[in-house]
Amino acid sequence: MRRSSALFVSIALIAGLSACASPAADSSCTPLAESGSVVDKVKVTGGFGDLPTATFPTPLTASKTERKILVKGDGSPALPGGAVTLDFTIYNGETGDILGQTKYDGTDLQTSSLDDTSLIHGLVATIQCAPAGSQIVSVIAPTDLLDPNGAPIGDLGKDTTLVVVADLISTSLAKANGKDQPAQDGFPAVVLDANGVPGVTVPKSKAPTELKVEVLKKGDGPVVKAGSSVTVHYTGVLWSDGTVFDSSWTRKSPATFSLNGVVPGFAQALEGQTVGSQIVAVIPPALGYGNQDKGTIPSGSTLVFVIDILGTTP
């Protein structure tokens, strides 16, 4: 794991270790004021999409988290409970050292739910309400960098302030919000809990030999195009016995990836669907992993995915 990813996991997920699930998205949010005496001391070169450099006097300390939107995007706002995808650079405010940085080339974007069960509060405050396409700088106060037990995260000192420069690449929903559709015969039954997490019951019948797709909720968002990038929540089970072999819900964070990087059946099931939709995809071995033994997925397995389509980019 690269240092950038490791640091993001530390500050992003340590608060979610004891969480049960992400809350539903709110329809509104309260942003931080876009200025402050401390964040105003941070000077950033490099615009949105560029590898940035931040300079500031050290040691830089803050008693409260402050942010400034340097470049304001025109995309959808980052709402509580939704998902966000970021490039970022993180500095130690005491020393000015870079603690972590993504590559800013699209290869190691970081995606997480925007809530206090998945992100340290200072990051939520940094990102919340900003529109996609924005470049944001913030100073995160030590009180907003504590784990659930009130201890400093990682090897940061208890009085450390972080400086974060973040590109908000995209925002997305917390869960599918489309209109319910009639159930189709022969498909696995799906029951959702209060947070939208699916439970799947596979029928006791022979698995289909062709790709089958059922729309459970029909969203009214953008259409997913072939080869595009998508942000989804999903649960995958085996048709043979209903065993869950993978779930983004368990990790408490949606997944973002290119449709060119998944098994053919998964990509084909999503192409032409709309953001906000929830679908069931039954994928035969020929469009899945074929005769490969993937450990939790035995050779020749028919796969069942319940997929919430949260966002897409070309």
Side-chain angles (χ1 to χ4, degrees):
M1 179 181 289
R2 294 179 66 246
R3 193 180 183 196
S4 61
S5 298
L7 181 71
F8 184 83
V9 168
S10 175
I11 64 177
L13 301 182
I14 197 166
L17 295 179
S18 60
C20 296
S22 299
D26 197 343
S27 59
S28 62
C29 56
T30 303
L32 285 179
E34 294 181 13
S35 65
S37 60
V38 182
V39 75
D40 285 346
K41 297 177 182 178
V42 182
K43 307 303 178 184
V44 178
T45 58
F48 180 88
D50 299 326
L51 198 67
T53 299
T55 56
F56 47 87
T58 56
L60 189 70
T61 60
S63 60
K64 65 178 182 178
T65 296
E66 301 174 359
R67 82 164 184 185
K68 182 187 294 185
I69 295 181
L70 303 175
V71 177
K72 192 165 187 177
D74 58 4
S76 299
L79 297 178
V84 294
T85 301
L86 306 166
D87 269 320
F88 65 85
T89 302
I90 301 175
Y91 295 84
N92 185 318
E94 183 177 7
T95 64
D97 294 336
I98 293 179
L99 299 178
Q101 186 174 57
T102 56
K103 295 179 179 178
Y104 288 77
D105 63 2
T107 62
D108 59 351
L109 295 173
Q110 302 296 311
T111 298
S112 180
S113 296
L114 188 62
D115 59 69
D116 286 339
T117 67
S118 300
L119 289 175
I120 293 297
H121 182 71
L123 283 176
V124 175
T126 294
I127 300 161
Q128 185 166 287
C129 307
S134 295
Q135 183 191 51
I136 309 159
V137 61
S138 72
V139 289
I140 301 180
T143 51
D144 285 334
L145 287 169
L146 303 178
D147 69 16
N149 298 316
I153 59 172
D155 57 0
L156 296 177
K158 65 181 180 65
D159 297 321
T160 301
T161 293
L162 292 186
V163 175
V164 176
V165 181
D167 281 7
L168 180 54
I169 305 299
S170 65
T171 64
S172 54
L173 303 170
K175 60 182 179 180
N177 64 355
K179 184 178 179 180
D180 291 339
Q181 303 295 297
Q184 297 183 33
D185 293 336
F187 274 85
V190 177
V191 177
L192 306 179
D193 71 11
N195 295 300
V197 181
V200 186
T201 302
V202 179
K204 298 183 182 300
S205 58
K206 187 176 180 180
T209 57
E210 298 178 348
L211 175 68
K212 299 291 183 181
V213 179
E214 177 185 32
V215 178
L216 300 179
K217 297 178 182 291
K218 179 66 174 177
D220 59 3
V223 174
V224 177
K225 299 178 181 180
S228 63
S229 176
V230 294
T231 299
V232 299
H233 256 316
Y234 66 89
T235 293
V237 307
L238 301 176
W239 181 283
S240 59
D241 60 7
T243 298
V244 176
F245 61 81
D246 192 13
S247 177
S248 64
W249 293 101
T250 301
R251 294 189 292 274
K252 303 178 179 67
S253 181
T256 297
F257 46 74
S258 168
L259 292 186
N260 292 327
V262 296
V263 296
F266 197 99
Q268 292 173 26
L270 286 174
E271 291 168 9
Q273 305 291 345
T274 51
V275 172
S277 296
Q278 182 182 70
I279 66 171
V280 178
V282 182
I283 302 175
L287 295 176
Y289 293 103
N291 292 323
Q292 300 178 60
D293 187 336
K294 306 294 286 187
T296 56
I297 304 175
S299 171
S301 291
T302 296
L303 312 178
V304 177
F305 284 96
V306 179
I307 308 168
D308 283 23
I309 307 172
L310 307 179
T312 185
T313 56

